[in-house]
Amino acid sequence: MESILEQSRRNNPRLGVTGILCFTSEVFIQVLEGGRDEVCELYNGIARDDRHRDVRLLVYDEVSERSFSNWTMGQVDISKINPGLLLKYSKRATLDPFSGSGHVTMALISELVASASIMGRSS
Amino acid sequence: MESILEQSRRNNPRLGVTGILCFTSEVFIQVLEGGRDEVCELYNGIARDDRHRDVRLLVYDEVSERSFSNWTMGQVDISKINPGLLLKYSKRATLDPFSGSGHVTMALISELVASASIMGRSS
Amino acid sequence: MESILEQSRRNNPRLGVTGILCFTSEVFIQVLEGGRDEVCELYNGIARDDRHRDVRLLVYDEVSERSFSNWTMGQVDISKINPGLLLKYSKRATLDPFSGSGHVTMALISELVASASIMGRSS
Amino acid sequence: MESILEQSRRNNPRLGVTGILCFTSEVFIQVLEGGRDEVCELYNGIARDDRHRDVRLLVYDEVSERSFSNWTMGQVDISKINPGLLLKYSKRATLDPFSGSGHVTMALISELVASASIMGRSS
Amino acid sequence: MESILEQSRRNNPRLGVTGILCFTSEVFIQVLEGGRDEVCELYNGIARDDRHRDVRLLVYDEVSERSFSNWTMGQVDISKINPGLLLKYSKRATLDPFSGSGHVTMALISELVASASIMGRSS
Amino acid sequence: MESILEQSRRNNPRLGVTGILCFTSEVFIQVLEGGRDEVCELYNGIARDDRHRDVRLLVYDEVSERSFSNWTMGQVDISKINPGLLLKYSKRATLDPFSGSGHVTMALISELVASASIMGRSS
Amino acid sequence: MESILEQSRRNNPRLGVTGILCFTSEVFIQVLEGGRDEVCELYNGIARDDRHRDVRLLVYDEVSERSFSNWTMGQVDISKINPGLLLKYSKRATLDPFSGSGHVTMALISELVASASIMGRSS
Amino acid sequence: MESILEQSRRNNPRLGVTGILCFTSEVFIQVLEGGRDEVCELYNGIARDDRHRDVRLLVYDEVSERSFSNWTMGQVDISKINPGLLLKYSKRATLDPFSGSGHVTMALISELVASASIMGRSS
Amino acid sequence: MESILEQSRRNNPRLGVTGILCFTSEVFIQVLEGGRDEVCELYNGIARDDRHRDVRLLVYDEVSERSFSNWTMGQVDISKINPGLLLKYSKRATLDPFSGSGHVTMALISELVASASIMGRSS
Amino acid sequence: MESILEQSRRNNPRLGVTGILCFTSEVFIQVLEGGRDEVCELYNGIARDDRHRDVRLLVYDEVSERSFSNWTMGQVDISKINPGLLLKYSKRATLDPFSGSGHVTMALISELVASASIMGRSS
């Protein structure tokens, strides 16, 4: 994971890409914001990378303004989150983005960002 | 009632179920939040349990976030409520969920939760 | 009027009826909240009572919550109101519920209740 | 019932009142449209008339146009209605306006008027 | 299944309950419309009946008018449906109400009713 | 392209995937409908396939019903389209999905499907 | 009235004013459409003309398109209207624009125009 | 102007009319609130008064509550207003109600009333 | 004008620009649809061309689909239009786009296009 | 640029034009508010001025009130802006109004005005 963050923080400013990375020991959820070409190529690179399994797209939308414009690639350690916050958006008190709507996972991430401290370097 | 609460608090965390129990000496109103399978099986168990009579479903909906995600099974003793609060949502100053819309009973519970102190253990 | 209020305060708690009585020396406006049967029978009794003339219904609606759940029968002496408040909802600075929409009269009563002191006993 | 209809048809044109009368052998539902004074006095007269019991007001509203402007007092014999039409708006296949919302009863009447033939004299 | 339908058609008219039964060789989906007491008791009876497994409630709502008021208990054999119709509302061309939103299953049933022929006796 | 269509028509029914393929001699636009896992794995496979260049995601959404449930993989030859139809949604009378909003390209496809004949086998 | 219509039809085309004149033996209702200056000066002239009494403005609005652009001054003899049409928008079966909202009178005129034949010369 | 204000303040309370008068050395804008008969007769009197030229009606509407119920006839000297406030609603930094929508002039008056001090006597 | 149309029809297809030209002997109204760069450069060229006076922009918007995608440069001779159609959107029965909102002029053009025959060559 | 601002501040008050000028070393974005004739003539003058290249119109609308009524021609030096603010509305951390919707550029300017200090003279 360190190398992912390192790579993101080296390449993203040049590409104009911002976002955050939420992780537990088992699952990564990454939010990418930027031009369509840049975001698609980053996603395609993830899909081609053999180190990842079960790559899924949850939400993909054209937005009129970014939510994470100040973060090259912020990071949130979800394993340290209050279980009630996970339950608010999930069936069980675990991070399980594979079941349920992608928009519900985005709502969880928005609340994490609003309540938890994002770590990392601002762009 | 003690055994109901005890049982709820023992099983609910494992099932990812949260909610509250409102009661007078005569009526129980229980709010259950969780996965559809878990909530249905809990309700079916209540319907099968001979100790309950006149089991009625008031409101049942798919929600995008829980309202009671921090409570394994909170509890509210309605017999100690200000009569004006009951009148606000009922014909008479008693708890009578059997007549009237289930959504009105849910509005009463929401106001109880906002104004009264919920007792019990958080999840 | 004293006997009306006395009678209201004796019967309303038993019937689960709440409301307020606005009056000048010439006109009474009464708001009744409760079950449909109870409110209709109270209105029918008023219509049958020879002491009243020109009984008119202004607004009648099914509501999901009461506005006066804490008042057996509050009372407001409109003759002591600031004339500008009456003008806000009327052609002249007098209480004339017989002309104009019933909803405008209800808006006047809502503002009276919000700004003036209601006298009487809470339920 | 004949005398009610006779009386309605004699007085309503003079008062500018229109409407319809729905009836079974046990229940009357009457829709009255007109000026507020005229409609209220007609209702008050019904409330004062000892031949009626359990007089209830279902819906009362200020409208910008009438629905029955061409009928002095139309009439619909509900006992001849298809049971499925009654079930569409009721718990049982009977006319029971005393339970449930007045607006549901109005929806039943609107569908009756749209589908059944109204008998009587146009204004 | 024959006995279920037989029983429904014997009891439902007395209870004022209408609806339809959709079935394959493996799954039953039943729509029940009626008073809250009657529908809840029918559901509770199904939950208590050992011949059923995995009883789930998909959608439960207070409605202002019925959709099946003319059917004591209509029936639809889903195994004879065009696969494209199942795919329109499902991941695979099979009936799988256990995954996905209950409202999507209701949309499938509405389209089945609009396009397929319901068999059975009208109420 | 023949092999793409052949492969789609062999695998899609098993995966429950439907959709259409629009093509000119230079650009492919593919609409895929199905479960999230299946659609993501198909897209990831396309991204990993070296025969494709400049793979871009235009629109990605959770839908409550499919638009192409009857087509394993329909096909539309855009090079035979009326130029005015392309101009309606583009700057120039060519197919250029790389510039402009993905939703505009989807509107073009919807109009193509409504007006042009889709070739291929229904599922 | 003849002279009013004569004068309207002589001056209105020059002023770019269109509209209709509804009349009984006792009341005139005139709709004027045009530039604000022209309509105001016409109204002011009516207000100054001693032959008129009780001149009232019912509705006055800036519109994005005219309703009577093809009529220099159409005319409708309301005394020949079906009484049910007047009742639809009035307390009594007479034309009484002095009581009630101006918008209700405009609704009556719109229905008159849609159903009755306008007499006069088109612009 | 003194005589206008004097006259307004003598007659308006009796008529139940309230409002404000905005003026520069060249233009008067008067807001009148009251019963339709009273407001129309006041306007008709202004139209008939030879001392006024170019009398124009800007906005005329039925309102459910007054905005100036506490002012017999307030007054605002627009020549003392910040030019930026006039520019906010006008082409030039002058008061020119003769061009542009009447609603924009009303928006200017509302902001004047909210920000500037109204002079005169309350009703 | 012939040269304008000739020039438009020579250059527009290459630029992907479509539209129509409405004209009287005194005024031209031109609708241009295309990429922002192309439309702006065409407008700038018109503004720089000494043969035009009083060039005004009426409406300018980003659209999700074109209205005139089938016309290189259609043409409408407004001097042959029914005067009532001009009055519908203007103070006088003339084409005067310099006064009033640009959106009203666009509404006139839309109605012209819907009702009148556009002359010229399709793209 | 100094001469542009000087000229704006000399002419704009006379024309009733307000606005702001945003600039980097390479791009100017100017917001002009005023009468349609004045704004069009100013834009046409810019289009005719050989010192400008690639003049583009981003947004053009009829507004009911101005946003910059207090500024003859405010100025914002965008090269001193926080890069995150530019990224919020752009693909890259540069000012590039030539790509993307004009409304997004207006949203950036609104946020610049709300957060940054405008320099220059108020009108």
Side-chain angles (χ1 to χ4, degrees):
Chain A
M1 198 192 74
E2 279 306 309
S3 72
I4 291 174
L5 281 163
E6 186 54 37
Q7 191 173 11
S8 293
R9 287 176 180 143
R10 196 167 54 238
N11 293 333
N12 288 358
R14 184 177 47 83
L15 297 168
V17 170
T18 55
I20 68 164
L21 182 73
C22 305
F23 56 91
T24 66
S25 59
E26 291 171 359
V27 184
F28 286 64
I29 303 176
Q30 193 167 20
V31 181
L32 293 173
E33 296 177 322
R36 185 168 63 192
D37 288 345
E38 290 78 5
V39 167
C40 275
E41 285 300 344
L42 281 174
Y43 178 84
N44 293 347
I46 292 168
R48 278 191 292 262
D49 186 336
D50 289 342
R51 291 173 298 179
H52 302 301
R53 280 185 310 110
D54 296 332
V55 180
R56 293 291 175 271
L57 198 63
L58 297 182
V59 171
Y60 181 81
D61 239 332
E62 300 166 6
V63 296
S64 58
E65 56 181 84
R66 303 185 189 214
S67 299
F68 302 95
S69 55
N70 286 315
W71 290 96
T72 300
M73 189 47 60
Q75 59 188 106
V76 179
D77 185 348
I78 293 178
S79 61
K80 293 172 178 161
I81 297 298
N82 167 10
L85 186 51
L86 288 172
L87 271 178
K88 186 170 175 184
Y89 299 103
S90 318
K91 287 186 190 176
R92 303 293 165 93
T94 57
L95 184 70
D96 179 14
F98 294 99
S99 74
S101 161
H103 294 286
V104 171
T105 303
M106 277 304 291
L108 169 63
I109 291 176
S110 295
E111 187 159 342
L112 283 175
V113 169
S115 65
S117 57
I118 308 179
M119 294 165 292
R121 267 176 301 186
S122 102
S123 62
Chain B
M1 197 189 73
E2 278 307 309
S3 71
I4 291 176
L5 282 162
E6 186 54 35
Q7 191 173 11
S8 293
R9 285 175 183 144
R10 197 168 52 238
N11 293 331
N12 288 358
R14 183 176 48 84
L15 297 168
V17 169
T18 54
I20 67 164
L21 182 73
C22 305
F23 56 91
T24 65
S25 58
E26 291 171 359
V27 184
F28 286 63
I29 302 176
Q30 192 167 20
V31 181
L32 294 173
E33 297 176 323
R36 186 168 61 191
D37 288 345
E38 290 79 5
V39 167
C40 275
E41 284 301 343
L42 281 174
Y43 178 84
N44 293 347
I46 292 167
R48 277 191 292 262
D49 186 335
D50 291 341
R51 290 173 299 180
H52 303 300
R53 280 185 308 111
D54 296 333
V55 180
R56 294 289 175 273
L57 198 63
L58 296 183
V59 171
Y60 180 82
D61 240 333
E62 299 167 6
V63 297
S64 58
E65 57 181 84
R66 303 187 190 210
S67 300
F68 303 96
S69 54
N70 285 316
W71 290 95
T72 300
M73 190 47 61
Q75 60 189 104
V76 179
D77 185 347
I78 293 178
S79 61
K80 294 172 178 162
I81 298 296
N82 167 11
L85 186 50
L86 288 172
L87 271 178
K88 187 170 175 185
Y89 299 102
S90 320
K91 286 187 190 176
R92 303 293 166 92
T94 57
L95 183 70
D96 178 15
F98 294 98
S99 72
S101 162
H103 294 286
V104 171
T105 302
M106 277 304 292
L108 168 63
I109 291 176
S110 296
E111 188 160 343
L112 283 176
V113 168
S115 66
S117 56
I118 307 180
M119 294 166 291
R121 270 175 298 185
S122 102
S123 60
Chain C
M1 198 191 71
E2 279 306 309
S3 71
I4 291 174
L5 282 162
E6 186 54 34
Q7 190 174 11
S8 292
R9 284 171 183 149
R10 198 169 50 239
N11 293 331
N12 287 358
R14 184 176 46 84
L15 297 167
V17 170
T18 54
I20 66 162
L21 182 74
C22 304
F23 56 89
T24 65
S25 58
E26 291 171 0
V27 184
F28 286 63
I29 303 176
Q30 192 168 18
V31 181
L32 294 173
E33 297 177 323
R36 185 167 62 190
D37 288 345
E38 290 78 5
V39 166
C40 275
E41 285 301 343
L42 280 175
Y43 178 83
N44 293 348
I46 292 167
R48 277 191 293 262
D49 186 335
D50 291 341
R51 288 173 300 179
H52 302 301
R53 280 185 309 109
D54 296 331
V55 180
R56 294 288 174 274
L57 198 63
L58 296 183
V59 171
Y60 181 82
D61 240 332
E62 298 167 6
V63 297
S64 59
E65 57 180 85
R66 303 186 189 210
S67 300
F68 303 96
S69 54
N70 285 315
W71 290 95
T72 300
M73 190 46 59
Q75 61 190 101
V76 178
D77 185 348
I78 293 178
S79 60
K80 293 173 178 162
I81 298 296
N82 166 10
L85 185 50
L86 288 172
L87 272 177
K88 187 171 175 183
Y89 298 102
S90 319
K91 287 186 189 178
R92 303 294 165 91
T94 57
L95 182 70
D96 179 17
F98 294 99
S99 71
S101 161
H103 294 286
V104 171
T105 302
M106 275 305 291
L108 168 63
I109 291 177
S110 295
E111 187 158 343
L112 284 176
V113 168
S115 65
S117 55
I118 307 180
M119 295 165 291
R121 270 176 297 185
S122 101
S123 59
Chain D
M1 196 191 76
E2 279 306 307
S3 71
I4 291 175
L5 281 161
E6 187 55 35
Q7 190 174 12
S8 291
R9 284 170 183 148
R10 198 168 51 239
N11 293 331
N12 287 359
R14 185 175 47 83
L15 297 169
V17 170
T18 55
I20 67 162
L21 182 74
C22 304
F23 56 90
T24 66
S25 59
E26 290 171 0
V27 183
F28 288 64
I29 303 176
Q30 193 167 17
V31 180
L32 294 173
E33 296 177 324
R36 186 167 61 193
D37 287 345
E38 289 79 5
V39 167
C40 275
E41 285 300 343
L42 281 173
Y43 178 83
N44 292 347
I46 292 167
R48 278 191 292 262
D49 186 336
D50 290 342
R51 291 172 300 178
H52 303 301
R53 280 186 308 111
D54 296 332
V55 181
R56 293 290 175 271
L57 199 63
L58 296 182
V59 171
Y60 181 83
D61 238 332
E62 300 168 5
V63 297
S64 58
E65 56 180 86
R66 301 186 191 211
S67 300
F68 302 96
S69 55
N70 286 315
W71 290 95
T72 300
M73 189 48 56
Q75 60 189 105
V76 179
D77 185 348
I78 293 178
S79 61
K80 294 173 178 161
I81 298 297
N82 168 10
L85 185 50
L86 289 172
L87 271 177
K88 187 170 175 184
Y89 300 103
S90 317
K91 288 185 188 176
R92 303 292 165 93
T94 56
L95 183 70
D96 179 14
F98 294 99
S99 72
S101 162
H103 294 286
V104 171
T105 302
M106 276 305 291
L108 169 63
I109 292 177
S110 295
E111 188 159 342
L112 283 176
V113 168
S115 67
S117 56
I118 306 180
M119 294 166 289
R121 269 175 297 184
S122 101
S123 61
Chain E
M1 195 190 77
E2 280 306 308
S3 71
I4 292 175
L5 282 161
E6 187 55 36
Q7 190 174 11
S8 292
R9 284 172 183 147
R10 199 171 48 241
N11 294 331
N12 288 358
R14 185 176 47 84
L15 296 169
V17 169
T18 55
I20 67 165
L21 182 73
C22 304
F23 56 90
T24 67
S25 59
E26 290 171 0
V27 183
F28 287 63
I29 302 176
Q30 193 167 18
V31 182
L32 294 173
E33 296 176 324
R36 186 167 62 193
D37 287 344
E38 290 79 6
V39 167
C40 275
E41 284 301 342
L42 281 174
Y43 177 83
N44 293 347
I46 292 167
R48 277 191 293 261
D49 186 336
D50 290 342
R51 290 173 298 179
H52 303 299
R53 280 185 310 109
D54 296 333
V55 181
R56 294 290 175 272
L57 197 64
L58 297 182
V59 171
Y60 181 82
D61 238 332
E62 300 167 5
V63 297
S64 58
E65 56 181 86
R66 301 186 191 213
S67 299
F68 302 96
S69 54
N70 285 315
W71 290 96
T72 299
M73 188 48 58
Q75 60 187 107
V76 179
D77 185 348
I78 293 179
S79 61
K80 294 172 179 162
I81 298 297
N82 168 10
L85 185 51
L86 288 172
L87 271 177
K88 187 170 174 184
Y89 299 102
S90 317
K91 286 185 188 176
R92 303 293 165 91
T94 57
L95 183 70
D96 179 14
F98 294 99
S99 73
S101 162
H103 294 286
V104 172
T105 302
M106 276 305 291
L108 169 63
I109 291 177
S110 296
E111 188 158 342
L112 283 175
V113 169
S115 67
S117 56
I118 307 180
M119 294 165 292
R121 268 175 298 183
S122 102
S123 59
Chain F
M1 196 191 75
E2 280 305 309
S3 71
I4 291 175
L5 281 162
E6 187 55 36
Q7 190 174 12
S8 292
R9 285 174 183 145
R10 198 170 49 241
N11 294 331
N12 288 358
R14 184 176 46 83
L15 297 169
V17 169
T18 55
I20 67 164
L21 183 72
C22 304
F23 57 89
T24 67
S25 58
E26 291 171 358
V27 183
F28 287 63
I29 303 176
Q30 193 167 20
V31 181
L32 294 173
E33 295 177 324
R36 186 167 62 192
D37 288 344
E38 290 78 6
V39 167
C40 274
E41 283 301 342
L42 281 174
Y43 178 84
N44 293 347
I46 293 168
R48 276 191 294 260
D49 185 335
D50 290 342
R51 290 173 300 179
H52 302 300
R53 280 186 309 110
D54 296 333
V55 181
R56 293 290 174 274
L57 197 64
L58 296 182
V59 171
Y60 181 82
D61 239 333
E62 300 168 4
V63 297
S64 58
E65 57 181 84
R66 302 185 191 214
S67 299
F68 303 96
S69 54
N70 285 315
W71 290 96
T72 299
M73 189 47 59
Q75 60 188 105
V76 178
D77 185 347
I78 293 179
S79 62
K80 293 171 180 165
I81 297 296
N82 168 11
L85 185 51
L86 288 172
L87 271 177
K88 188 171 173 182
Y89 299 102
S90 318
K91 287 185 188 177
R92 303 292 165 93
T94 58
L95 183 70
D96 179 16
F98 294 100
S99 72
S101 162
H103 294 286
V104 172
T105 302
M106 276 305 291
L108 169 64
I109 291 176
S110 295
E111 188 158 343
L112 283 175
V113 168
S115 66
S117 57
I118 307 179
M119 294 166 292
R121 267 175 300 185
S122 103
S123 61
Chain G
M1 198 191 72
E2 278 307 308
S3 71
I4 291 175
L5 282 162
E6 187 56 35
Q7 191 174 10
S8 291
R9 285 172 181 148
R10 197 168 52 238
N11 293 331
N12 287 357
R14 184 176 47 82
L15 297 168
V17 170
T18 55
I20 66 162
L21 183 73
C22 304
F23 57 90
T24 66
S25 58
E26 290 171 0
V27 183
F28 287 62
I29 303 177
Q30 194 166 18
V31 181
L32 294 172
E33 296 178 324
R36 186 168 62 192
D37 288 346
E38 290 79 4
V39 166
C40 275
E41 285 300 343
L42 281 174
Y43 178 83
N44 293 347
I46 292 167
R48 277 191 293 261
D49 186 336
D50 290 342
R51 290 173 300 179
H52 302 300
R53 280 185 309 112
D54 296 331
V55 181
R56 294 289 175 273
L57 198 64
L58 296 183
V59 171
Y60 181 83
D61 239 332
E62 300 167 5
V63 297
S64 59
E65 57 181 85
R66 301 185 190 212
S67 299
F68 302 95
S69 55
N70 286 315
W71 290 95
T72 300
M73 189 48 56
Q75 60 189 105
V76 178
D77 185 348
I78 293 179
S79 61
K80 295 172 178 162
I81 298 297
N82 167 10
L85 186 50
L86 288 172
L87 271 177
K88 188 172 174 183
Y89 299 102
S90 318
K91 287 187 189 176
R92 304 292 165 92
T94 57
L95 183 70
D96 179 15
F98 293 100
S99 72
S101 162
H103 294 286
V104 171
T105 302
M106 276 306 290
L108 169 63
I109 291 176
S110 295
E111 187 159 343
L112 282 175
V113 169
S115 67
S117 55
I118 307 181
M119 294 166 290
R121 270 175 298 186
S122 102
S123 61
Chain H
M1 199 192 71
E2 279 305 310
S3 72
I4 291 174
L5 281 163
E6 186 55 34
Q7 191 173 12
S8 292
R9 285 172 182 146
R10 198 168 51 238
N11 293 330
N12 288 358
R14 185 176 46 84
L15 297 168
V17 170
T18 55
I20 66 162
L21 182 73
C22 304
F23 56 89
T24 65
S25 58
E26 289 170 1
V27 184
F28 286 63
I29 303 176
Q30 193 166 19
V31 181
L32 295 172
E33 295 177 323
R36 185 167 64 192
D37 287 344
E38 290 78 5
V39 167
C40 275
E41 285 300 342
L42 281 174
Y43 177 84
N44 292 349
I46 292 168
R48 277 191 293 261
D49 186 336
D50 291 341
R51 290 173 300 179
H52 302 300
R53 280 184 309 110
D54 296 332
V55 180
R56 294 289 175 272
L57 198 64
L58 296 183
V59 170
Y60 181 81
D61 240 333
E62 299 167 5
V63 296
S64 59
E65 57 181 84
R66 303 186 189 212
S67 300
F68 302 97
S69 54
N70 286 314
W71 291 96
T72 300
M73 190 47 57
Q75 61 189 101
V76 178
D77 185 348
I78 292 178
S79 61
K80 293 172 178 160
I81 298 296
N82 166 10
L85 186 50
L86 288 173
L87 272 177
K88 187 171 176 184
Y89 299 101
S90 318
K91 287 186 189 177
R92 304 294 165 91
T94 57
L95 183 69
D96 179 16
F98 293 99
S99 72
S101 162
H103 294 286
V104 171
T105 302
M106 276 306 291
L108 168 63
I109 291 177
S110 295
E111 187 159 342
L112 283 175
V113 168
S115 65
S117 54
I118 309 179
M119 294 166 290
R121 271 175 296 185
S122 100
S123 59
Chain I
M1 197 191 73
E2 278 307 308
S3 70
I4 291 175
L5 282 163
E6 187 54 36
Q7 192 173 10
S8 292
R9 286 175 182 144
R10 197 168 51 239
N11 293 331
N12 288 358
R14 184 176 46 82
L15 297 168
V17 169
T18 55
I20 67 164
L21 182 73
C22 304
F23 56 89
T24 66
S25 58
E26 289 171 359
V27 184
F28 287 62
I29 303 176
Q30 194 167 17
V31 181
L32 294 172
E33 296 177 323
R36 186 166 64 191
D37 288 346
E38 290 78 5
V39 167
C40 275
E41 285 300 343
L42 281 174
Y43 178 84
N44 293 347
I46 292 167
R48 277 190 294 261
D49 186 336
D50 290 341
R51 291 173 300 178
H52 302 300
R53 281 185 308 110
D54 296 333
V55 181
R56 293 290 175 272
L57 198 64
L58 296 183
V59 171
Y60 181 82
D61 239 332
E62 300 167 5
V63 297
S64 57
E65 57 181 84
R66 302 186 191 213
S67 299
F68 302 95
S69 55
N70 285 315
W71 290 95
T72 300
M73 189 47 57
Q75 60 188 106
V76 179
D77 185 348
I78 292 179
S79 62
K80 294 171 179 163
I81 298 296
N82 167 10
L85 185 50
L86 288 172
L87 271 177
K88 187 171 174 183
Y89 299 102
S90 319
K91 287 187 189 176
R92 303 291 165 92
T94 58
L95 183 69
D96 179 16
F98 294 100
S99 72
S101 162
H103 294 285
V104 171
T105 302
M106 276 305 291
L108 168 63
I109 290 176
S110 295
E111 188 160 342
L112 284 175
V113 169
S115 66
S117 56
I118 307 181
M119 294 166 292
R121 269 174 300 185
S122 102
S123 60
Chain J
M1 199 194 72
E2 278 306 310
S3 72
I4 291 174
L5 281 163
E6 185 56 35
Q7 191 174 11
S8 292
R9 287 175 180 144
R10 197 168 53 238
N11 293 332
N12 287 359
R14 184 176 47 83
L15 297 167
V17 170
T18 55
I20 68 162
L21 183 73
C22 304
F23 57 90
T24 66
S25 59
E26 291 170 1
V27 184
F28 286 63
I29 302 177
Q30 193 166 19
V31 181
L32 294 173
E33 295 177 322
R36 185 166 63 192
D37 288 344
E38 290 79 5
V39 167
C40 275
E41 284 302 342
L42 281 174
Y43 178 84
N44 293 348
I46 292 167
R48 278 190 293 260
D49 186 337
D50 290 342
R51 291 173 298 182
H52 303 301
R53 280 185 311 109
D54 296 332
V55 181
R56 293 291 176 271
L57 198 63
L58 296 182
V59 170
Y60 181 82
D61 239 333
E62 299 167 6
V63 296
S64 58
E65 58 181 84
R66 303 184 189 214
S67 300
F68 302 96
S69 54
N70 286 315
W71 290 95
T72 300
M73 191 45 60
Q75 59 187 106
V76 179
D77 185 348
I78 293 178
S79 61
K80 292 173 180 162
I81 298 296
N82 167 11
L85 186 50
L86 288 172
L87 271 177
K88 187 171 175 183
Y89 299 102
S90 318
K91 287 186 189 176
R92 303 293 165 92
T94 58
L95 183 70
D96 179 15
F98 293 100
S99 72
S101 161
H103 294 287
V104 172
T105 303
M106 275 306 290
L108 169 63
I109 290 177
S110 294
E111 187 159 343
L112 283 176
V113 168
S115 65
S117 55
I118 308 180
M119 295 166 290
R121 268 176 299 185
S122 101
S123 60

